[in-house]
Amino acid sequence: MTIDWGIIGESIPLLAEGLVVTLQVSALSAVLGLALGVVFGLGSLSRSRPLRWLVMAYVDFIRGTPLLIQIFLVFFALPMIGIRFDEFWAGVFALSLNASAFVAEVVRGGVGSIEKGQTEAAKAIGMRHSQILVYILLPQAYRQMVPPLTNELISLVKNSSLLSVISVYELTRAGQAIISVHFVPFEIYTLLAVYYYVLIKALSWLSVQLERRLPTW
Amino acid sequence: MVAAVIQVQDLSKSFGDNPVLRGVSLDVALAETVVIIGASGSGKTTFLRCLNRLEEPTGGSVRLDGSPVGEASSERLSAAQRSQFGFVFQRFNLFPHLTARDNVAIGLEKVRGMSRAEARALAEEELSRVHLQDHIDKRPAQLSGGQQQRVAIARALAMKPRVMLFDEPTSALDPELVQEVLDVMKDLAEAGMTMVVVTHEMSFARDVADRVIYMEDGVIAEQGPPDQLFGAPKSAGAQRFLRHLSHD
Ligand SMILES: Nc1ncnc2c1ncn2[C@@H]1O[C@H](COP(=O)(O)OP(=O)(O)OP(=O)(O)O)[C@@H](O)[C@H]1O
Ligand SMILES: [Mg+2]
């Protein structure tokens, strides 16, 4: 087997374009997924039983179905009820919804692990349940939530490659485009693996830095 | 006689089928300091927690200034009611992510609806009252146990409670830090605060208490002025308990 070094040299800049889209999709989905996930996580700890039930059912559905199906559902089903996105935003939306369920579980676990005395002290000065969640428990859980949230972010970045199936021109899709012209699957998939690997190593490193910077007490 | 601030009627509490309080009745007068003593497991903590509804009693009633506690229709109301009782925990339970000042200010801001600036200014005042004016910007982990407990007292006092409840406030402290906390409590009693204090600090009980209550197996087995209860306890249980205590 001979390796086509020339095509690798040509592909590096071509793939960079896809990498930018992967970064955009991942960053947008991470922010949206985090925001939704925190809301869902707190919802799952709320005093309202219907709300808790709704969030738990949602989380259960997301965790119990393949992401690929969720992507297709967002891409094909939502237009049928009149909601239309281009591929890029459909992809962001699908990844965000998926991530939010996992983030909700992290938030739930983090907030739930804070010692009971904290809730009692806050109750004793007259704080309401929702205030206790937001001002007392959640801030104390930030630091311990960083490692599991990093894992979710890493999954999200890897999962973004699935958006190639709805023709989002992200890293994987960009690679496939080169393959279809030059038929060099081994070279390109290897190159893609390196791109993803470096990206994910960089994220892990950033996460450790962030965790170090968050205050302890 | 002045109307009681707290009226407890036949209060009972069971955890599953374990009856922990079995009919406790007690009136506490305005500015009175009541000290509760009793063996471990006799129900002292549970009693205090039933007063401010950290624990839901199984039966009986608690009234504060004549109004029933725990019958509020909404969460907002019951939270407001709870803040009429200042509660000081054995293990302080300060919020570790907040400075001393913000530990005190957060209730003023979120519960009393003060502006942040107002709340912080008042918090500073409350901390000065417990002699912590030089430590307002420290986090709990940077404070000694005695200082932490004084922050906790300031946090409770800032809410302007009608009554202060203390659950063994010095039992988690190193011996040399106990007095600074007892001094603050004594000042508070002398300033006319109504207080219910669970403690085994006999010097405090002798000095400060108007009345001492001895609890046993979820009931008040004996009560009276400190001189009488410590000097000549009538019940066999109190005699035994006090004998044990003086041998420690
Ligand atoms: N949340 C709970 N669930 C079940 N049982 C409990 C609970 N809280 C207290 N108890 C039980 O109630 C009894 C009385 O406990 P309580 O803490 O009121 O006693 P105490 O007089 O404060 O004791 P101590 O001096 O050790 O603090 C104990 O047998 C305890 O095991
Ligand atoms: Mg106790």
Side-chain angles (χ1 to χ4, degrees):
Chain A
M1 182 178 153
T2 53
I3 292 175
D4 186 343
W5 291 102
I7 198 73
I8 291 182
E10 271 174 54
S11 300
I12 289 175
L14 284 175
L15 290 179
E17 203 183 319
L19 178 67
V20 170
V21 177
T22 288
L23 287 173
Q24 285 171 339
V25 167
S26 302
L28 284 168
S29 307
V31 170
L32 206 62
L34 186 66
L36 280 174
V38 169
V39 171
F40 291 161
L42 294 179
S44 76
L45 294 162
S46 107
R47 286 166 60 120
S48 150
R49 190 188 297 261
L51 183 59
R52 280 203 310 266
W53 189 88
L54 208 67
V55 172
M56 298 310 272
Y58 174 76
V59 170
D60 196 50
F61 171 77
I62 295 287
R63 288 164 54 115
T65 53
L67 174 58
L68 191 57
I69 304 296
Q70 295 164 16
I71 291 169
F72 283 139
L73 278 176
V74 169
F75 190 62
F76 292 112
L78 288 186
M80 287 168 64
I81 55 168
I83 305 174
R84 214 163 263 289
F85 304 101
D86 62 22
E87 305 82 50
F88 179 86
W89 285 104
V92 167
F93 194 46
L95 285 183
S96 305
L97 288 180
N98 181 266
S100 71
F102 293 92
V103 171
E105 287 292 278
V106 172
V107 169
R108 191 183 154 72
V111 167
S113 74
I114 306 297
E115 193 227 333
K116 206 166 117 261
Q118 292 291 307
T119 301
E120 296 189 338
K123 269 186 172 179
I125 55 172
M127 290 177 81
R128 282 176 286 122
H129 183 72
S130 55
Q131 295 178 318
I132 298 173
L133 283 177
V134 173
Y135 299 115
I136 304 297
L137 303 182
L138 187 61
Q140 292 187 51
Y142 286 152
R143 196 172 205 267
Q144 74 194 67
M145 280 168 17
V146 170
L149 285 179
T150 304
N151 288 338
E152 295 313 327
L153 179 63
I154 287 172
S155 302
L156 191 156
V157 172
K158 292 193 224 170
N159 288 340
S160 70
S161 79
L162 285 174
L163 297 184
S164 57
V165 300
I166 55 169
S167 302
V168 177
Y169 198 82
E170 45 62 71
L171 190 50
T172 302
R173 181 76 188 157
Q176 287 168 341
I178 299 171
I179 293 169
S180 68
V181 177
H182 301 281
F183 202 69
V184 280
F186 176 75
E187 286 82 348
I188 296 302
Y189 282 124
T190 305
L191 202 51
L192 287 181
V194 172
Y195 266 88
Y196 280 112
Y197 185 81
V198 170
L199 179 53
I200 278 158
K201 281 292 145 189
L203 287 175
S204 306
W205 182 83
L206 280 174
S207 149
V208 172
Q209 300 308 309
L210 173 64
E211 195 189 353
R212 281 206 193 127
R213 284 201 170 87
L214 284 175
T216 44
W217 29 74
Chain B
M1 158 125 192
V2 196
V5 176
I6 314 177
Q7 296 164 285
V8 182
Q9 265 297 319
D10 205 23
L11 196 69
S12 63
K13 172 71 183 176
S14 303
F15 291 105
D17 53 11
N18 175 19
V20 173
L21 296 179
R22 299 179 300 133
V24 178
S25 298
L26 172 73
D27 283 4
V28 182
L30 186 67
E32 189 181 13
T33 296
V34 173
V35 163
I36 303 180
I37 59 173
S40 178
S42 57
K44 307 178 297 291
T45 296
T46 306
F47 176 68
L48 286 191
R49 291 165 59 88
C50 283
L51 295 185
N52 76 339
R53 282 302 208 270
L54 279 179
E55 216 67 81
E56 203 56 38
T58 320
S61 68
V62 177
R63 287 172 171 270
L64 182 71
D65 292 321
S67 317
V69 175
E71 286 168 24
S73 54
S74 73
E75 199 207 345
R76 186 182 295 272
L77 268 179
S78 61
Q81 233 181 15
R82 191 178 276 127
S83 71
Q84 295 295 310
F85 296 88
F87 200 105
V88 176
F89 297 85
Q90 191 169 358
R91 304 218 55 99
F92 332 136
N93 296 8
L94 289 180
F95 307 130
H97 60 304
L98 300 179
T99 61
R101 190 211 311 255
D102 286 340
N103 262 277
V104 179
I106 192 160
L108 297 171
E109 202 181 329
K110 304 301 174 197
V111 179
R112 293 281 182 262
M114 289 184 188
S115 74
R116 188 160 168 73
E118 224 183 331
R120 285 167 62 89
L122 227 151
E124 216 175 310
E125 252 173 64
E126 291 294 344
L127 286 168
S128 309
R129 272 177 61 181
V130 295
H131 318 297
L132 287 172
Q133 58 281 359
D134 298 333
H135 302 280
I136 51 178
D137 288 319
K138 291 187 182 162
R139 292 246 171 87
Q142 298 168 292
L143 297 170
S144 74
Q147 292 169 332
Q148 289 186 56
Q149 193 59 297
R150 284 184 283 145
V151 174
I153 292 173
R155 174 176 70 181
L157 286 175
M159 303 306 291
K160 298 277 174 282
R162 281 290 280 162
V163 183
M164 285 289 287
L165 310 174
F166 294 84
D167 186 15
E168 303 202 38
T170 59
S171 68
L173 297 177
D174 293 337
E176 72 274 17
L177 301 177
V178 167
Q179 201 53 46
E180 62 187 65
V181 172
L182 293 180
D183 288 344
V184 165
M185 292 168 61
K186 185 174 179 196
D187 290 347
L188 199 56
E190 280 166 2
M193 177 60 77
T194 309
M195 319 212 303
V196 181
V197 184
V198 174
T199 184
H200 292 148
E201 290 296 331
M202 289 306 139
S203 63
F204 177 85
R206 263 181 231 281
D207 266 14
V208 183
D210 299 298
R211 186 161 35 137
V212 177
I213 284 178
Y214 170 69
M215 271 184 80
E216 189 176 287
D217 294 334
V219 294
I220 296 179
E222 184 170 350
Q223 59 177 308
D227 290 348
Q228 181 196 315
L229 205 126
F230 294 137
K234 293 193 202 76
S235 65
Q239 286 167 10
R240 207 176 328 113
F241 177 76
L242 290 167
R243 206 163 44 235
H244 267 283
L245 211 59
S246 57
H247 285 184
D248 277 349

